[in-house]
Amino acid sequence: MKNLVSIKLNLKNTIVPILWLCLLATAVESAELLSTNSQVGTSEASPGTPAINWDAYPESTALPELLKLQNGSPVKTPEDWMKRRRPELQELIQREMFGYLPAPQPFTATVTKTVPDALAGKATLKEIRLKFTQLPPEAPEIRLALWIPNRHPAGKIPVFLTLNYCGNANVTTDPHTTIHTDRFCSKKEWIGQRGGQADFWCVEQVIDRGYALATYHESDTKADKNEWNDGLFPYLKSNQVPAGSQPATIALWAWGLLRCVDQLAQEPQLDPWRICLLGHSRRGKTVLFAAAMDERIALVVPHQSGTGGMALSRENNQETVERINRVFPHWFCGEFKKFGGNEPRIPFDQHAVASLVAPRLLLDTEGDQDAWANFPRSLETLQAVNPVWKLLGKTGLVGSGLITSVTEIQPGKVGELLQLRLPEKHTLTKEFWTGILNYADLMLPE
Ligand code: GTR
């Protein structure tokens, strides 16, 4: 795997292609105006906004082909995939769904706290502040919390990175984590409270298994609301990107995670080849997009990620594209709005997003009482992307790719693509973590 992975900042994946920039140069001024007035913009026809050219979005009820370039040529070799098809799809999903992932920013990393005996002596807590040196001084910083196991097998330590919902102190009841109350969280009772989600993140269980856990509060990069004057959006939106393709909330969360990856890859005790991303639901959509954009992620776990994540948008009988855009207009970019009710015109589907993780590990964890996340359509995504893993010389799916108990995670029984479906609701539990850690033990590179 290592020849396909670069621990350097992968600028190619994150900057807008130059040719495309030139074509859009004349639109920059009006785009800037739109992005100020309408935040992530809208593609609805309104005075001064060009109507949608539907000719550019032909209808297809079948899933768009993955192993075919936009010019119609077949994708026959790993090189065709990695050098041609993958960049094409990355461009498409950014322009039409997530908005363009901003380029990386240099930062200084300051360790603001070290606690060698956190979690009752089991872990060392490091709190690290990422301050972006080329942004104005008032731009928010990312506050990363990192727990490193004090006892672990010899060698470098694998790490799970997650996005939390209400602040780092909410992740564990451990008294050492710094409480911050200055950032948005929709669940008011969790603000400033320790361990509101301790049973969900199961930090001790992760540490006991010899893994580090790192997390940041999503509101450091963007609050989960349809307002655009907070977080890093005012600093990361780009004059060179049209209003409808400005990075929306999920892209900004993913950007923050990737800056944390920049830092984790430098941490001397951690293994840069075993960085894993896990996110739940809307944050599951986020980690899938992040792993699609960045090859440094060895394993991604989009937990119950649903529509806009692992579940296909075409014929989705649970959350539709129209509904997700209406109820959560800030998650995806303005361009994605036009596909509500027009799913067959989406020039890709969620299998295209998932395919960009190849040849790395993609573990789709689902609860069988969580119908809204549409786990059957997520399993179909895994099946639709399997040929890409095969093309890259990997096993991909073993059998149908579905297992329903953590004890089935055994050598030869699972591949790089797997759905673990447990009898659970829309939440994360110890049993899910057991499955995730068993899978990581078995499948992460040595
Ligand atoms: C739901 C939304 C889902 C999912 C979920 C969550 O209301 O419809 O797409 O993201 O929220 O984040 O918990």
Side-chain angles (χ1 to χ4, degrees):
M1 185 180 98
K2 295 199 181 180
N3 61 337
L4 291 172
V5 178
S6 160
I7 58 165
K8 287 188 227 122
L9 298 184
N10 197 340
L11 290 174
K12 205 177 69 172
N13 288 343
T14 51
I15 58 171
V16 181
I18 288 167
L19 178 64
W20 188 83
L21 260 180
C22 298
L23 289 173
L24 284 165
T26 49
V28 162
E29 214 175 294
S30 55
E32 193 178 2
L33 199 68
L34 265 174
S35 71
T36 323
N37 294 340
S38 62
Q39 300 98 31
V40 279
T42 170
S43 56
E44 280 162 28
S46 58
T49 314
I52 299 158
N53 173 17
W54 282 117
D55 292 346
Y57 302 96
E59 221 174 279
S60 161
T61 47
L63 288 181
E65 280 188 54
L66 294 177
L67 295 180
K68 197 198 255 181
L69 293 173
Q70 267 162 12
N71 69 10
S73 313
V75 173
K76 288 191 186 146
T77 64
E79 199 188 16
D80 287 345
W81 176 265
M82 294 307 287
K83 298 242 172 82
R84 289 180 269 284
R85 184 57 171 151
R86 188 166 182 269
E88 217 173 67
L89 289 173
Q90 284 177 323
E91 161 69 19
L92 197 59
I93 65 166
Q94 290 181 93
R95 189 181 69 218
E96 300 287 347
M97 183 174 184
F98 296 97
Y100 286 97
L101 188 65
Q105 285 282 337
F107 58 81
T108 52
T110 309
V111 178
T112 51
K113 188 189 256 186
T114 307
V115 183
D117 57 352
L119 297 171
K122 288 182 173 185
T124 298
L125 166 68
K126 272 175 97 170
E127 292 183 340
I128 308 169
R129 202 179 62 198
L130 311 187
K131 176 93 191 142
F132 299 99
T133 50
Q134 283 176 15
L135 299 183
E138 69 278 13
E141 37 196 46
I142 292 180
R143 301 144 174 173
L144 180 66
L146 167 64
W147 291 271
I148 303 175
N150 288 336
R151 291 184 52 182
H152 57 87
K156 296 228 179 193
I157 303 169
V159 58
F160 275 89
L161 171 63
T162 70
L163 187 63
N164 74 70
Y165 164 29
C166 211
N168 299 341
N170 200 250
V171 167
T172 163
T173 52
D174 189 65
H176 298 292
T177 325
T178 302
I179 293 178
H180 297 285
T181 54
D182 56 341
R183 302 258 158 98
F184 174 79
C185 165
S186 62
K187 195 156 175 163
K188 300 235 162 34
E189 63 272 31
W190 280 356
I191 301 176
Q193 188 217 54
R194 287 196 186 284
Q197 278 199 307
D199 294 342
F200 185 97
W201 290 114
C202 302
V203 183
E204 288 201 30
Q205 185 184 356
V206 178
I207 293 293
D208 286 343
R209 293 283 298 260
Y211 289 75
L213 189 115
T215 188
Y216 92 89
H217 181 192
E218 63 198 19
S219 296
D220 289 357
T221 42
K222 171 75 186 73
D224 190 8
K225 52 185 177 180
N226 192 22
E227 287 171 20
W228 300 88
N229 53 4
D230 76 318
L232 285 164
F233 179 75
Y235 306 96
L236 295 179
K237 68 181 180 189
S238 167
N239 293 343
Q240 288 150 351
V241 170
S245 299
Q246 289 289 338
T249 301
I250 285 179
L252 291 166
W253 290 344
W255 184 88
L257 286 168
L258 296 176
R259 302 299 65 80
C260 295
V261 171
D262 297 343
Q263 179 58 28
L264 296 175
Q266 303 299 320
E267 286 289 325
Q269 282 187 276
L270 301 183
D271 187 347
W273 303 105
R274 291 188 291 165
I275 296 178
C276 313
L277 274 188
L278 180 144
H280 180 230
S281 209
R282 64 200 71 182
R283 300 154 195 100
K285 311 179 207 304
T286 305
V287 295
L288 182 65
F289 174 60
M293 296 303 295
D294 197 315
E295 291 174 61
R296 294 174 300 173
I297 311 307
L299 160 64
V300 59
V301 187
H303 181 55
Q304 303 176 329
S305 61
T307 301
M310 286 297 293
L312 294 168
S313 298
R314 280 169 175 75
E315 292 176 44
N316 190 317
N317 63 358
Q318 298 296 327
E319 188 174 25
T320 62
V321 171
E322 185 281 324
R323 190 184 188 279
I324 205 168
N325 278 326
R326 178 165 41 83
V327 180
F328 305 103
H330 54 293
W331 286 355
F332 304 107
C333 72
E335 289 295 337
F336 198 54
K337 309 287 183 287
K338 65 179 176 286
F339 297 120
N342 291 310
E343 289 82 352
R345 290 187 182 272
I346 307 176
F348 56 92
D349 207 312
Q350 293 312 107
H351 68 322
V353 183
S355 72
L356 300 172
V357 178
R360 293 163 287 138
L361 304 172
L362 170 48
L363 173 61
D364 174 42
T365 42
E366 304 283 350
D368 70 4
Q369 296 154 43
D370 183 24
W372 189 238
N374 209 340
F375 46 82
R377 290 297 269 164
S378 301
L379 183 59
E380 285 179 61
T381 291
L382 291 176
Q383 291 161 352
V385 299
N386 194 31
V388 179
W389 266 258
K390 298 268 189 225
L391 178 74
L392 300 182
K394 296 288 176 177
T395 305
L397 292 177
V398 172
S400 71
L402 171 65
I403 61 166
T404 54
S405 121
V406 301
T407 56
E408 288 172 66
I409 300 172
Q410 300 289 341
K413 298 265 173 66
V414 299
E416 295 84 5
L417 294 168
L418 180 68
Q419 183 176 99
L420 169 65
R421 193 188 296 171
L422 296 181
E424 295 285 358
K425 301 194 183 80
H426 191 64
T427 188
L428 184 57
T429 62
K430 267 179 170 278
E431 187 71 355
F432 273 123
W433 273 111
T434 300
I436 293 162
L437 293 162
N438 287 357
Y439 183 80
D441 281 353
L442 187 64
M443 299 298 288
L444 281 174
E446 289 294 308

